[in-house]
Amino acid sequence: MPDIVEHHGIPVLVCDADGATIAHVQDALDHLIGAAFQNADVVAVPSTRLDDSFFDLSTGFAGDVLQKFANYQLRLVVVGDIDRHLAASSALPDLVREANRGRDIWFVPDLDALADRLAPNVAGRPTG
């Protein structure tokens, strides 16, 4: 069962590592986006929950999932080690780099890194 935690005033749905694999867009809707309607602004999903096809950008699966999150105005954070996927792809490193520059999609190594990204900057606004 996912938990809602707050980091710097931002509600984050932290998905369980043992949950269902997200292998289709409907899985993302059912297990991530649907669960986020518990008043979360950010959904943190362990990278191990995402089917390998998510990281193979040629399948279009990642693009479809990211579009659903945008449509529902939710932020997605993929949490965990994705090094093997990065090594196997020429396009994925570019996506990760660009996503991490923005505020809606992030790839982070752990939940502590997510909390750090959500911390307010000197002006009092979240950094992400």
Side-chain angles (χ1 to χ4, degrees):
M1 187 72 161
D3 291 321
I4 299 277
V5 298
E6 232 179 75
H7 291 294
H8 309 285
I10 300 169
V12 178
L13 176 84
V14 179
C15 297
D16 207 2
D18 296 330
T21 299
I22 309 303
H24 304 282
V25 173
Q26 191 61 48
D27 297 334
L29 288 167
D30 293 343
H31 300 289
L32 304 178
I33 293 173
F37 283 112
Q38 301 175 35
N39 299 321
D41 293 337
V42 176
V43 177
V45 61
S47 60
T48 55
R49 292 270 311 269
L50 298 169
D51 187 77
D52 285 348
S53 63
F54 180 87
F55 300 100
D56 178 357
L57 300 184
S58 69
T59 67
F61 179 43
D64 291 343
V65 170
L66 300 180
Q67 185 60 54
K68 291 294 183 192
F69 272 84
N71 291 348
Y72 286 97
Q73 298 178 352
L74 289 168
R75 297 162 70 180
L76 174 65
V77 179
V78 176
V79 180
D81 181 10
I82 61 167
D83 286 347
R84 74 179 176 91
H85 299 292
L86 292 169
S89 171
S90 60
L92 183 61
D94 293 333
L95 171 71
V96 169
R97 186 175 36 260
E98 288 302 313
N100 283 342
R101 287 183 183 158
R103 72 173 304 274
D104 297 322
I105 310 294
W106 293 336
F107 294 81
V108 299
D110 54 42
L111 291 173
D112 289 336
L114 171 57
D116 290 345
R117 290 279 316 252
L118 293 172
N121 64 16
V122 176
R125 293 184 303 260
T127 56

